[in-house]
């Protein structure tokens, strides 16, 4: 193809390896994974990257255009209650559940030829790549993983023994998938208003009620919240049940799939309504403590939701960088144009914030599951912060990425529209933005998570290689964010500021963690540059009428995604000037 035709045609990144095109991902895996495991998994990450950039993308486009269909009866009138899924979606399932074992690797050894269960970072990093092609399937995948975790954590030994092997099988003919049936028409975010009733009949628990929004509704197993007869009102009266799709006799359990939802996004994956008509179910954990137990599953789903949003942002950045490097306008590459550089850098900074937050929180999950009380508190506050901010950021980044492609980004032959539709899901499911922002402060008020987070971040600053004035600036911003968060948590009249203060806490946390990551990469200061861009653009007050002086050469270096030196970071962001703007003159001396 001639050079002229390359410039004329729309750049198409299909076939690019999403792992190899993302050098930062490799760096972060070096930080967050043990060396031996990291080396063992290199070929698997490369394989997932190749699939995500090519075959999985093609399958995802086909599955999106051919959504599942609910078939209630056979042609002779026999009840079926089946959901027919497109072959492309089934092929995606085979990769996720089968070949890569994403729902199994946290619960048993043997996945990807590794003898032990994998730490959470592995699962989330592979999901981070997978979701850059397909988002919809990641919801059932996450729920299967989270259901297995909740069952192992709270279920009795007999129940775990009965279902664990199927839930962690990589044989698609034997594997069970999981779901979570919680939402009701009158009880969305207000879980305490759930009306689904549980009755004990001849020693068997039976469920009655109408569940309004159930994703993966034909899953083999689902976790369900219900209120036993004469149970307390509110969340204290709820018990957690495990609901099988089929009875031991092989017959369908006593609940019906009423209809499937016609959704804005995640069209490849079925979501529907469930009518429980005396369905047999098993109590999981302690009766009356169902909400607390279900919260564990919800929080795992929220963290996974953040991972998916971070992955969508990286997918968008990949596409935008490819287009900008291979498209010419006004006699220049798009990536050489100052305003495009600014747009790309803002997308990149936001995407990198999300990635750092989910990877670091995944490592906190590993430590929390090993009994680390500090990490358990960190997990409690970081998870709603991620669910709130990362999912909202994905909507903005996906929209900006569509704009970089231009008119073709609005055409469904490309994936920009699909990614944008899917991105909107993250900020709605498992708690809308208002709910999860308030949950940040609920964790502060009830579980005293804020001092733990503050201490942890101060420790990360002490371990960093920042200059004195840089460290003091981040400490000052952290103290300010902590003070505001503490005040809001203790004063309900300030609740209207919950989203703004939660955002500030997210931004300073991500900036400090990126600076800490930079200290683990002595040959590359690029993450330090990203941290300072968070400070300048998201934490310090801007002057909307000022003209900024920004080095196009320094921005170009950032967008190259190659290692940066201290001098190049300074050329991009003058931290002494930032310190002075925050009233810390002379603090660098």
């Amino acid at each position: 193809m001639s050079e002229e035709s390359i410039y004329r045609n729309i750049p198409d990144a299909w076939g690019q390896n999403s792992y190899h095109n993302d050098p930062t991902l490799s760096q972060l895996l070096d930080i967050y994974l043990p060396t031996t495991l990291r080396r063992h998994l290199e070929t698997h990450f490369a394989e997932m990257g190749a699939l995500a950039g090519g075959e999985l993308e093609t399958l995802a486009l086909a599955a999106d255009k051919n959504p599942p269909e609910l078939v209630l009866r056979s042609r002779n009138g026999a009840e079926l209650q089946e959901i027919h899924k497109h072959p492309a979606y089934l092929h995606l399932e085979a990769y996720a559940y089968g070949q890569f074992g994403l729902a199994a690797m946290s619960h048993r050894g043997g996945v990807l030829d590794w003898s032990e269960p994998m730490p959470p970072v592995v699962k989330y990093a592979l999901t981070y790549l997978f979701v850059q092609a397909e988002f919809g399937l990641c919801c059932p995948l996450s729920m299967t993983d989270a259901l297995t975790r909740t069952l192992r954590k709270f279920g009795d030994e007999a129940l775990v023994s009965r279902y664990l092997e199927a839930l962690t099988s990589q044989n698609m003919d034997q594997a069970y998938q999981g779901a979570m049936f919680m939402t009701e028409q009158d009880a969305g975010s207000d879980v305490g208003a759930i009306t689904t009733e549980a009755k004990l009949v001849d020693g068997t628990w039976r469920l009655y009620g109408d569940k309004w929004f159930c994703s993966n509704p034909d899953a083999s197993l689902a976790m369900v919240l219900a209120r036993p007869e004469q149970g307390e009102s509110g969340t204290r009266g709820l018990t957690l049940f495990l609901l099988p799709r089929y009875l031991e006799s092989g017959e369908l359990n006593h609940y019906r799939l009423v209809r499937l939802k016609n959704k804005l996004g995640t069209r490849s994956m079925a979501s529907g309504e469930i009518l429980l008509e005396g369905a047999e179910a098993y109590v999981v954990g302690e009766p009356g403590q169902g909400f607390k137990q279900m919260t564990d599953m919800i929080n795992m789903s929220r963290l996974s939701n953040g991972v998916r949003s971070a992955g969508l942002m990286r997918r968008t950045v990949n596409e935008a960088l490819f287009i900008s490097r291979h498209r010419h306008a006004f006699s220049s590459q798009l990536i050489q144009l100052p305003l495009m550089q600014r747009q790309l850098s803002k997308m990149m900074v936001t995407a990198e914030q999300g990635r750092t937050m989910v990877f670091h929180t995944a490592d906190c999950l590993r430590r929390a599951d090993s009994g680390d009380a500090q990490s358990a508190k960190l997990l409690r506050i970081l998870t709603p912060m991620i669910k709130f901010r990362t999912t909202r950021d994905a909507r903005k980044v996906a929209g900006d990425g569509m704009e970089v492609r231009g008119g073709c980004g609005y055409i469904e032959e490309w994936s920009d529209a699909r990614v944008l539709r899917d991105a909107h899901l993250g900020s709605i499911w498992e708690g809308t933005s208002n709910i999860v922002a308030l949950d940040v402060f609920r964790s502060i008020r009830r579980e005293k998570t804020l001092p733990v987070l503050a201490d942890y971040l101060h420790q990360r600053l002490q371990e960093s290689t920042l200059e004195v004035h840089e460290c003091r600036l981040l400490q000052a911003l952290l103290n300010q964010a902590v003070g505001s968060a503490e005040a809001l948590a203790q004063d309900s009249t300030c609740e209207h500021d919950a989203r703004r203060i939660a955002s500030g806490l997210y931004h300073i946390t991500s900036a400090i963690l990126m600076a800490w990551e930079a200290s683990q990469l002595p040959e590359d200061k690029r993450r330090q540059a990203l941290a300072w861009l968070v400070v300048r653009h998201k934490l310090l007050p801007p002057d909307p009428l000022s003209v900024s002086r920004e080095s196009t050469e320094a921005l170009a270096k950032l967008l190259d995604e190659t290692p940066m030196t201290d001098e190049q970071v300074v050329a991009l962001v003058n931290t002494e000037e930032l310190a002075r703007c925050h009233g810390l003159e002379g603090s660098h001396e």
Side-chain angles (χ1 to χ4, degrees):
M1 186 179 292
S2 69
E3 185 174 312
E4 181 181 351
S5 64
I6 291 173
Y7 293 158
R8 184 175 62 246
N9 293 337
I10 304 300
D12 188 348
W14 190 95
Q16 299 284 307
N17 188 305
S18 301
Y19 176 64
H20 291 157
N21 284 351
D22 184 2
T24 300
L25 177 55
S26 184
Q27 290 180 324
L28 293 177
L29 293 174
D30 289 341
I31 293 173
Y32 289 110
L33 289 179
T35 302
T36 304
L37 178 58
R38 170 74 182 91
R39 290 172 180 167
H40 174 79
L41 291 171
E42 176 63 19
T43 57
H44 297 292
F45 281 113
E47 183 179 15
M48 180 67 90
L51 287 166
E55 183 179 352
L56 296 183
E57 167 73 2
T58 300
L59 293 171
L61 278 166
D64 181 72
K65 290 177 173 60
N66 297 276
E69 297 179 353
L70 176 59
V71 180
L72 297 177
R73 289 184 173 185
S74 69
R75 66 182 184 179
N76 69 353
E79 188 171 13
L80 284 181
Q81 291 282 316
E82 290 181 351
I83 296 177
H84 289 182
K85 301 167 185 177
H86 191 266
Y89 185 83
L90 298 177
H91 201 165
L92 289 165
E93 285 186 327
Y95 275 120
Y97 287 98
Q99 181 172 331
F100 286 93
L102 296 180
M105 62 173 55
S106 292
H107 308 289
R108 65 167 174 84
V111 179
L112 300 181
D113 300 318
W114 191 253
S115 61
E116 301 295 328
M118 302 278 192
V121 170
V122 176
K123 170 180 63 188
Y124 290 131
L126 286 167
T127 302
Y128 179 87
L129 287 169
F130 185 90
V131 77
Q132 292 180 40
E134 162 63 13
F135 185 98
L137 175 58
C138 288
C139 180
L141 196 63
S142 166
M143 288 192 295
T144 304
D145 174 58
L147 180 145
T148 305
R149 173 190 170 89
T150 302
L151 179 61
R152 292 178 64 205
K153 192 170 182 178
F154 300 110
D156 63 51
E157 187 176 337
L159 206 55
V160 175
S161 297
R162 184 185 306 178
Y163 292 117
L164 183 60
E165 183 175 351
L167 283 167
T168 60
S169 175
Q170 291 175 262
N171 184 326
M172 296 307 295
D173 293 328
Q174 301 172 3
Y176 276 17
Q177 294 187 25
M180 174 172 58
F181 300 165
M182 185 166 64
T183 306
E184 299 180 3
Q185 292 188 52
D186 294 331
S189 298
D190 185 5
V191 178
I194 280 177
T195 59
T196 297
E197 188 175 31
K199 297 181 180 180
L200 189 59
V201 181
D202 298 329
T204 299
W205 282 101
R206 296 188 176 275
L207 305 183
Y208 299 85
D210 189 345
K211 294 296 186 180
W212 179 244
F213 216 118
C214 306
S215 288
N216 209 25
D218 61 340
S220 301
L221 295 167
M223 289 291 183
V224 183
L225 280 178
R227 195 180 308 279
E229 292 179 286
Q230 283 80 51
E232 283 188 67
S233 60
T235 58
R236 293 182 181 179
L238 297 173
T239 292
L240 184 61
F241 292 88
L242 183 69
L243 176 73
R245 179 75 178 121
Y246 291 92
L247 302 174
E248 291 188 16
S249 65
E251 297 178 272
L252 281 169
N253 203 348
H254 305 293
Y255 66 90
R256 289 188 289 125
L257 311 181
V258 179
R259 65 170 176 168
L260 298 186
K261 303 286 193 180
N262 184 11
K263 297 171 293 181
L264 171 69
T266 63
R267 293 175 179 173
S268 64
M269 180 266 298
S271 299
E273 298 166 22
I274 298 293
L275 190 60
L276 298 158
E277 301 171 313
E280 294 185 21
Y282 309 101
V283 172
V284 176
E286 184 180 347
Q289 298 297 310
F291 177 69
K292 291 182 181 178
Q293 293 151 3
M294 180 66 110
T295 297
D296 187 78
M297 184 172 178
I298 294 170
N299 283 337
M300 291 302 99
S301 294
R302 284 178 173 178
L303 177 54
S304 178
N305 212 323
V307 172
R308 285 174 259 160
S309 294
L312 286 186
M313 286 193 280
R314 180 63 209 190
R315 172 0 184 325
T316 300
V317 169
N318 281 345
E319 293 281 338
L321 288 173
F322 185 87
I323 294 163
S324 301
R325 289 166 180 160
H326 294 86
R327 189 84 190 264
H328 280 63
F330 312 110
S331 302
S332 297
Q333 281 181 296
L334 290 186
I335 203 165
Q336 295 172 337
L337 302 175
L339 198 54
M340 179 59 77
Q341 287 182 339
R342 170 61 73 87
Q343 182 174 348
L344 291 171
S345 67
K346 289 174 70 175
M347 292 167 60
M348 180 177 285
V349 168
T350 302
E352 293 295 344
Q353 282 184 274
R355 171 151 60 180
T356 285
M357 289 293 284
V358 297
F359 276 36
H360 207 92
T361 302
D363 201 47
C364 286
L365 173 60
R366 174 187 63 82
R367 300 194 302 269
D369 283 347
S370 297
D372 187 321
Q374 180 197 47
S375 294
K377 295 256 187 180
L378 290 172
L379 188 68
R380 177 64 184 90
I381 188 171
L382 290 173
T383 299
M385 281 168 57
I386 287 169
K387 173 60 173 67
F388 165 60
R389 189 69 264 161
T390 309
T391 58
R392 292 189 66 80
D393 287 343
R395 292 159 46 172
K396 177 68 165 60
V397 172
D400 287 349
M402 174 183 283
E403 193 172 309
V404 172
R405 196 183 295 278
C408 284
Y410 203 67
I411 305 301
E412 293 280 358
E413 287 177 289
W414 303 84
S415 283
D416 304 74
R418 177 173 62 93
V419 169
L420 180 60
R421 287 188 275 106
D422 288 348
H424 278 262
L425 171 68
S427 59
I428 297 175
W429 289 6
E430 285 100 27
T432 59
S433 298
N434 285 352
I435 294 298
V436 286
L438 290 171
D439 194 38
V440 172
F441 299 98
R442 188 177 299 110
S443 81
I444 294 171
R445 185 169 56 253
R446 296 181 180 177
E447 292 150 280
K448 312 302 179 188
T449 57
L450 190 60
V452 176
L453 176 64
D455 289 346
Y456 183 78
L457 294 176
H458 281 299
Q459 291 170 11
R460 301 291 80 76
L461 280 174
Q462 292 173 10
E463 296 170 3
S464 70
T465 54
L466 297 170
E467 298 291 334
V468 172
H469 71 281
E470 295 174 334
C471 192
R472 288 181 178 173
L473 173 57
L474 290 174
Q475 286 175 335
L477 291 169
L478 174 59
N479 291 339
Q480 185 176 351
V482 168
S484 297
E486 182 64 36
L488 192 149
Q490 301 306 322
D491 187 351
S492 61
T493 65
C494 300
E495 194 173 278
H496 55 272
D497 283 328
R499 288 163 64 138
R500 181 170 59 83
I501 302 303
S503 293
L505 201 57
Y506 174 93
H507 294 322
I508 187 58
T509 299
S510 63
I512 290 173
L513 293 180
M514 282 197 286
W516 174 83
E517 288 169 344
S519 71
Q520 311 301 304
L521 303 166
E523 305 302 319
D524 184 6
K525 299 300 180 183
R526 187 168 173 276
R527 297 201 76 67
Q528 199 164 299
L530 292 164
W532 292 123
L533 288 173
V534 171
V535 171
R536 183 166 72 186
H537 292 302
K538 301 190 179 188
L539 284 166
L540 294 182
D543 180 352
L545 301 179
S546 66
V547 176
S548 63
R549 306 295 178 188
E550 202 156 47
S551 167
T552 56
E553 184 177 331
L555 269 182
K557 181 63 181 174
L558 180 78
L559 297 175
D560 277 346
E561 298 196 289
T562 53
M564 295 180 69
T565 64
D566 286 319
E567 292 74 21
Q568 289 167 334
V569 173
V570 171
L572 185 63
V573 184
N574 187 325
T575 55
E576 292 190 13
E577 183 179 332
L578 290 184
R580 285 195 296 273
C581 288
H582 199 67
L584 297 173
E585 293 89 351
S587 63
H588 60 287
E589 296 177 359

